[in-house]
Amino acid sequence: MAFGKKSRIAIVGSGFVGGSISIALSRAGYPVVAAASRTFASASLIESKVEGCQAVQTIQEAADLADVVFITTPDDYIAATASSITWRRGQGVVHCSGAASLDVFDGVAGIGVVPGALHPLQAFSSMDTGAESISGITFGIEGGEDMKSYLNVMALDLGANPI
């Protein structure tokens, strides 16, 4: 599947990283359509800050609404979160961890899910200041050709530097 600016995005993990990225992506014209988290209140906070985003109760509901799922949970939960989703062939899955490789998606890559990583080389202390500070930062990008191309363009659309 070719991913592009019209690909619908879900955020799973609604903390500072997920919130910052969802706000910045929305401002750059990317459709962030769903947010899910351990608590519905966290997902609702993203919904309140991102036009067109729907807070949902479950990870599966978020994945069902999206073409690309960003898993922005703590690193130790990325693989388990990805494995808990019933994927559609051709969906994309992206993590934002600096410590994890694409190996965390080995459990789902064999079923036609397209893995990637978009790692901001920056810490985030809140959603709002994080979203404001994305322009000018560097993102480490990993993935196959389609996913890498999509994430490179995304980083550039955010005003960031892809490497």
Side-chain angles (χ1 to χ4, degrees), residues 123-159:
F124 296 99
S125 59
S126 82
M127 285 184 196
D128 294 317
T129 60
E132 295 301 325
S133 67
I134 285 179
S135 180
I137 70 167
T138 298
F139 280 98
I141 294 176
E142 248 189 298
E145 273 317 301
D146 284 344
M147 182 57 76
K148 201 166 16 176
S149 175
Y150 170 66
L151 295 175
N152 271 305
V153 170
M154 179 181 282
L156 293 170
D157 286 344
L158 294 173

Side-chain angles (χ1 to χ4, degrees), residues 71-130:
I71 299 179
T72 57
T73 62
D75 294 355
D76 292 343
Y77 298 99
I78 296 169
T81 301
S83 293
S84 75
I85 295 170
T86 301
W87 295 93
R88 294 185 314 273
R89 183 170 199 74
Q91 270 183 300
V93 61
V94 176
H95 73 70
C96 296
S97 168
S101 69
L102 292 183
D103 294 351
V104 295
F105 296 135
D106 282 353
V108 298
I111 58 172
V113 176
V114 183
L118 179 74
H119 171 58
L121 302 179
Q122 171 180 300
F124 296 99
S125 59
S126 82
M127 285 184 196
D128 294 317
T129 60

Side-chain angles (χ1 to χ4, degrees), residues 37-55:
S37 199
R38 267 187 330 224
T39 67
F40 188 70
S42 293
S44 294
L45 184 57
I46 290 179
E47 178 184 53
S48 74
K49 294 176 180 288
V50 175
E51 187 176 335
C53 182
Q54 175 184 356

Side-chain angles (χ1 to χ4, degrees), residues 4-92:
K5 198 162 184 174
K6 301 265 189 237
S7 296
R8 297 165 300 155
I9 297 169
I11 303 292
V12 173
S14 300
F16 295 153
V17 173
S20 297
I21 287 177
S22 63
I23 292 167
L25 286 173
S26 177
R27 288 179 182 164
Y30 287 81
V32 179
V33 298
S37 199
R38 267 187 330 224
T39 67
F40 188 70
S42 293
S44 294
L45 184 57
I46 290 179
E47 178 184 53
S48 74
K49 294 176 180 288
V50 175
E51 187 176 335
C53 182
Q54 175 184 356
V56 294
Q57 296 284 351
T58 69
I59 294 165
Q60 188 64 53
E61 287 177 273
D64 288 346
L65 293 171
D67 302 310
V68 180
V69 177
F70 276 71
I71 299 179
T72 57
T73 62
D75 294 355
D76 292 343
Y77 298 99
I78 296 169
T81 301
S83 293
S84 75
I85 295 170
T86 301
W87 295 93
R88 294 185 314 273
R89 183 170 199 74
Q91 270 183 300

